[in-house]
């Protein structure tokens, strides 16, 4: 994989400006980052912190959590009405990606760029005495996130084989630019968990705008949940929910606000005048001015179009006759919540149901969400069965996290448990439900093993 060092340097310079460090001219005179361990930019803590900040610039940009991650995931899932899509979008929606396609290839490259910057920080911690632990924790958190979202999009899901020996994605844990080889899915997940458990011990308890110990725990909850490891998923989600550090919003729309949502565990913060995030979400989903590229199927809308569900306000079925669009991103500016309390409650509730334990806690989580969604007119009984709790957790997750890139991974996770839930009729581990690697990976290593092509017929 080829790293664009010039672009990387510009990104770091941008972060030097917004963090109050103005020596950009000096920074741009420094050697490129492939030799930067001996250069000016990383000689002190401020330089290392700036490189760390630049990794967030990528994660929050349009090529990752600013939109492309969610769009790629939604296109391959079963909520989008995509029969008229063409080009890259049509290829992804039809679950027949090739080595070409700038949209997904740009995502892959940028995710590994963020990973590269995290590795750069990890290799230069010797000059960060005051913030060493926190910077290490941040870098491991970013590296874990990068590998995790890559393996979920470019490899067959955890649980496809008994030992998860199916090919995953390249593991990049140093800044060495060597020809890529694919680790197994197990190896990737093991590395993700290792990084997050270290991050959990290194990160600060409070660090506005940056990941904290609770962010590492929340991501661990998501990782374990994707593995159907419900004991660990419950443990970590419970630690987050029970911490008292986050408050369940009474207004379901506040997760996507420009202010700091009380549910936000880790979010990409929009900074007016210096850093804007969510552009890729607005470009594809925003519906107040024009018919957006991505619309929803009647089959999906039937889940939310029920009596008293206030979340119907997230959708408009009138403005564009015959089309169902979301209003979720109809804002000029908003923060992008990457990890939030609603998800943690859904993970905790379903994990408890799967374990058939702590069902009273799970009922409370489900009723928090139902009471908010139905303005206090709907709940489940306090003595609900594990089966009823699980059914409600899955149903509420489908609606709460729509257009957030979640549904694809539910199709795969639940499929690995033996249940095919894809409304488009595909098998959960068919070749088309993962993306093909970019041609650049094959160029860097002629023996690189690409994914099987052929869709989901």
């Amino acid at each position: 994989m080829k790293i664009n060092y010039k672009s990387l340097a510009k990104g770091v310079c941008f972060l030097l400006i917004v963090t109050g460090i103005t020596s950009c001219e000096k920074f741009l005179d420094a050697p490129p980052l492939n030799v930067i361990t001996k250069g000016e930019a990383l000689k002190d803590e401020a330089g290392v912190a700036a490189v760390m900040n630049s990794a967030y610039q990528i994660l929050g940009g349009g090529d990752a959590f600013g939109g492309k991650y969610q769009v790629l995931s939604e296109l391959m899932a079963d909520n989008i009405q995509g029969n008229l899509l063409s080009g890259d979008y049509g290829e992804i929606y039809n679950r027949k990606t090739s080595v070409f396609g700038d949209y997904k290839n740009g995502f892959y490259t940028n995710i590994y760029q963020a990973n590269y910057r995290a590795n750069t920080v990890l290799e230069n911690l010797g000059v960060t005495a005051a913030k060493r632990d926190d910077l290490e924790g941040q870098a491991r958190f970013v590296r874990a996130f990068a590998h995790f979202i890559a393996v979920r999009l470019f490899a067959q899901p955890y649980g496809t084989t008994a030992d998860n020996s199916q090919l995953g994605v390249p593991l990049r844990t140093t800044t060495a630019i060597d020809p890529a080889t694919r680790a197994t899915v197990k190896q990737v997940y093991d590395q993700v968990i290792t990084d997050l458990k270290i991050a959990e011990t290194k990160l600060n308890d409070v660090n506005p705008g940056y990941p904290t110990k609770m962010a590492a725990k929340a991501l661990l909850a998501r990782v374990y949940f994707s593995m159907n490891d419900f004991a660990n998923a419950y443990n970590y989600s419970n630690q987050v929910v029970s911490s008292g550090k986050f408050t369940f919003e009474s207004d379901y729309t506040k997760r996507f606000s420009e202010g700091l949502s009380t549910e936000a565990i880790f979010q990409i913060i929009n900074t007016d005048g210096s850093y804007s995030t969510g552009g890729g979400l607005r470009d594809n989903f925003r519906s107040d001015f024009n018919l957006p590229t991505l619309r929803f199927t009647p089959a999906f809308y039937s889940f939310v179009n029920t009596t008293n569900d206030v979340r119907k306000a997230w959708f408009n079925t009138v403005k564009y006759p015959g089309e169902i669009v979301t209003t979720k991103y109809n804002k000029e500016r908003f923060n992008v919540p990457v990890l939030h309390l609603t998800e943690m409650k859904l993970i905790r509730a379903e994990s408890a149901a799967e374990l058939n334990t702590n069902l009273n806690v799970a009922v409370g989580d489900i009723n928090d969400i139902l009471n908010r969604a139905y303005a206090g007119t709907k709940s489940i009984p306090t003595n609900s069965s594990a089966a009823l709790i699980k059914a409600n957790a899955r149903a509420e997750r489908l609606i709460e996290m729509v257009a957030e890139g979640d549904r694809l991974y539910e199709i795969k996770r639940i499929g690995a448990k033996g249940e095919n839930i894809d409304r488009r009729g595909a098998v959960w581990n068919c070749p088309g439900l993962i993306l093909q690697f970019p041609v650049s990976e094959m160029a860097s290593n002629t023996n690189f093993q690409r994914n099987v092509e052929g869709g989901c017929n």
Side-chain angles (χ1 to χ4, degrees):
M1 182 182 65
K2 189 175 290 185
I3 301 294
N4 187 336
Y5 296 108
K6 183 177 181 182
S7 173
L8 193 155
K10 288 180 179 177
V12 175
C13 183
F14 170 84
L15 266 298
L16 286 168
I17 294 172
V18 301
T19 53
I21 301 167
T22 56
S23 56
C24 287
E25 205 171 292
K26 187 175 184 181
F27 179 79
L28 291 176
D29 289 337
L33 272 183
N34 59 331
V35 292
I36 209 163
T37 52
K38 296 180 181 178
E40 284 293 306
L42 293 173
K43 71 177 183 179
D44 56 24
E45 187 172 284
V48 176
V51 174
M52 189 68 252
N53 284 343
S54 75
Y56 298 122
Q57 181 194 8
I58 292 180
L59 280 186
D63 277 338
F65 287 119
K68 193 170 283 190
Y69 164 77
Q70 296 90 332
V71 169
L72 285 166
S73 303
E74 293 290 341
L75 282 170
M76 284 193 290
D78 58 5
N79 292 333
I80 298 297
Q81 185 70 52
N83 56 304
L84 299 180
L85 293 172
S86 60
D88 281 3
Y89 280 23
E91 184 180 82
I92 297 162
Y93 172 79
N94 288 311
R95 299 167 169 177
K96 293 183 178 180
T97 57
S98 69
V99 296
F100 305 104
D102 290 342
Y103 194 79
K104 70 164 175 63
N105 291 358
F107 169 82
Y108 182 85
T109 299
N110 275 281
I111 285 303
Y112 276 96
Q113 284 265 13
N115 184 75
Y116 180 89
R117 298 182 191 202
N119 284 330
T120 300
V121 170
L122 290 169
E123 291 176 3
N124 289 275
L125 290 172
V127 297
T128 62
K131 293 186 63 178
R132 180 186 175 94
D133 279 357
D134 184 53
L135 282 170
E136 180 180 353
Q138 289 186 50
R140 287 185 179 274
F141 179 86
V142 168
R143 185 168 74 182
F145 228 143
H147 282 135
F148 180 55
I149 61 179
V151 77
R152 292 218 289 178
L153 276 169
F154 289 88
Q156 289 292 355
Y158 198 94
T160 297
T161 63
D163 60 358
N164 290 293
S165 58
Q166 68 270 29
L167 289 177
V169 295
L171 269 179
R172 298 278 190 183
T173 57
T174 73
T175 56
I177 310 301
D178 299 322
T181 58
R182 296 176 67 177
T184 67
V185 166
K186 182 182 187 304
Q187 288 170 330
V188 177
Y189 270 81
D190 286 349
Q191 182 64 52
V192 167
I193 290 169
T194 295
D195 275 340
L196 288 176
K197 285 189 172 182
I198 295 174
E200 179 188 0
T201 67
K202 299 283 187 178
L203 288 166
N204 291 331
D205 288 315
V206 178
N207 198 359
Y210 294 92
T212 61
K213 291 182 185 296
M214 285 298 159
K217 291 177 187 290
L219 185 50
L220 276 165
R222 182 186 288 181
V223 171
Y224 281 123
F225 191 67
S226 75
M227 299 164 65
N228 289 314
D229 180 344
F230 299 113
N232 277 309
Y234 183 91
N235 175 33
Y236 278 100
S237 60
N238 185 57
Q239 288 184 57
V240 175
V241 178
S242 300
S243 70
K245 294 179 178 293
F246 313 99
T247 305
F248 191 68
E249 297 279 14
S250 59
D251 179 353
Y252 68 98
T253 68
K254 283 192 68 177
R255 285 210 305 273
F256 289 88
S257 61
E258 192 174 9
L260 295 178
S261 167
T262 61
E263 285 206 24
I265 301 165
F266 176 64
Q267 63 181 332
I268 308 299
I269 297 176
N270 187 86
T271 307
D272 193 22
S274 60
Y275 185 71
S276 177
T277 188
L281 295 170
R282 285 186 289 270
D283 290 346
N284 288 282
F285 289 105
R286 187 169 185 172
S287 60
D288 47 350
F289 298 133
N290 300 291
L291 179 65
T293 303
L294 300 184
R295 288 95 78 180
F296 295 85
T297 66
F300 165 75
Y301 184 63
S302 67
F303 290 101
V304 70
N305 188 26
T306 57
T307 303
N308 295 332
D309 193 335
V310 300
R311 293 169 299 188
K312 286 197 290 287
W314 261 341
F315 299 91
N316 190 321
T317 61
V318 176
K319 187 175 180 66
Y320 309 101
E323 302 288 356
I324 302 166
V325 298
T326 186
T327 63
K328 202 169 193 176
Y329 302 117
N330 288 1
K331 303 171 184 177
E332 290 295 331
R333 297 179 297 275
F334 52 82
N335 294 348
V336 177
V338 179
L339 297 163
H340 51 73
L341 189 60
T342 292
E343 182 189 5
M344 292 300 107
K345 281 180 168 285
L346 289 165
I347 288 175
R348 184 169 73 167
E350 187 165 345
S351 296
E354 289 283 1
L355 296 167
N356 198 27
T357 187
N358 298 309
L359 297 187
N360 60 322
V361 173
V363 168
D365 288 335
I366 296 300
N367 282 340
D368 280 347
I369 293 168
L370 287 174
N371 288 330
R372 180 176 67 184
Y374 289 86
T377 65
K378 184 176 181 180
S379 62
I380 60 174
T382 55
N383 62 344
S384 292
S385 67
L388 181 62
I389 293 168
K390 181 167 71 171
N392 275 272
R394 290 182 180 180
E396 296 311 305
R397 188 183 189 99
L398 174 67
I399 299 169
E400 287 284 339
M401 298 186 68
V402 66
E404 294 183 31
D406 181 72
R407 174 63 180 174
L408 175 66
Y409 309 113
E410 284 295 276
I411 292 170
K412 296 179 179 185
R413 180 188 69 81
I414 295 171
K417 286 172 50 53
E419 307 170 54
N420 274 319
I421 65 168
D422 179 49
R423 294 192 300 276
R424 291 167 64 183
V427 178
W428 61 278
N429 60 351
C430 63
L433 280 178
I434 59 175
L435 297 172
Q436 182 58 272
F437 289 90
V439 67
S440 59
E441 283 293 33
M442 275 61 87
S444 68
N445 178 7
T446 57
N447 294 318
F448 188 88
Q449 190 165 340
R450 67 178 68 183
N451 286 325
V452 174
E453 294 181 10
C456 287
N457 297 330

